[in-house]
């Protein structure tokens, strides 16, 4: 009986988790050089993700997490140099476990892959 009560208490704490989401729209993932040709690859978006581990403090978006998500998306299309028209979603999950509160984060980027040829644009 006591094991059942402990199991029910732990299970109810896991069900009490909540999620916070943030959405940002970005123009491009990398700097495009002046006098460069930017050409779309295909007409479909690619998706890249990056996750943080469990921690006792709320996660923040770091340049490492952002670079991993961009690289994950770019690896799905050969020849892609950057993403444009990006949907940028940051999801933080809060998991209360008895006295502790644990956090985990997930960054998802979705955008159109493009190639960039530097210095070859024709000037009129």
């Amino acid at each position: 009986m006591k094991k059942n009560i402990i199991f029910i208490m732990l299970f109810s704490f896991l069900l009490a988790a909540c999620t916070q989401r943030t959405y940002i729209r970005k123009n491009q993932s990398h700097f495009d050089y002046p006098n460069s040709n930017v050409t779309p690859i295909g007409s479909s978006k690619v998706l890249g993700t990056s996750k943080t581990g469990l921690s006792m403090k709320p996660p923040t978006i770091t340049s490492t997490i952002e670079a991993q998500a961009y690289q994950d998306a770019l690896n799905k299309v050969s020849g892609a140099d950057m993403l444009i028209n990006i949907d940028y979603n940051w999801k933080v999950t809060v998991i209360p476990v008895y006295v502790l509160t644990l956090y985990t984060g997930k960054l998802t980027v979705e955008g159109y892959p493009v190639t960039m040829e530097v210095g070859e644009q024709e000037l009129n």
Side-chain angles (χ1 to χ4, degrees), residues 87-104:
D87 295 323
Y88 192 93
N89 293 295
W90 175 241
K91 176 181 154 185
V92 175
T93 304
V94 182
I95 306 168
V97 180
Y98 195 56
V99 179
L100 297 175
T101 302
L102 300 175
Y103 299 89
T104 184

Side-chain angles (χ1 to χ4, degrees), residues 10-106:
L10 289 175
F11 189 70
S12 65
F13 283 123
L14 290 176
L15 289 178
C18 67
T19 302
Q20 302 168 352
R21 293 180 183 262
T22 303
Y23 172 81
I24 300 171
R25 179 80 169 181
K26 289 192 172 187
N27 293 332
Q28 59 195 41
S29 62
H30 297 82
F31 176 75
D32 59 336
Y33 293 98
N35 195 26
S36 64
N37 294 326
V38 177
T39 309
I41 302 174
S43 61
S44 61
K45 288 185 172 186
V46 292
L47 182 76
T49 59
S50 179
K51 297 178 183 178
T52 65
L54 284 174
S55 68
M56 293 174 50
K57 64 177 189 167
T60 57
I61 301 173
T62 62
S63 59
T64 304
I65 293 170
E66 194 172 3
Q68 288 173 351
Y70 286 138
Q71 196 58 46
D72 184 42
L74 292 173
N75 287 341
K76 294 180 180 174
V77 177
S78 63
D81 296 320
M82 63 188 235
L83 300 173
I84 59 171
N85 299 333
I86 304 166
D87 295 323
Y88 192 93
N89 293 295
W90 175 241
K91 176 181 154 185
V92 175
T93 304
V94 182
I95 306 168
V97 180
Y98 195 56
V99 179
L100 297 175
T101 302
L102 300 175
Y103 299 89
T104 184
K106 179 180 177 182

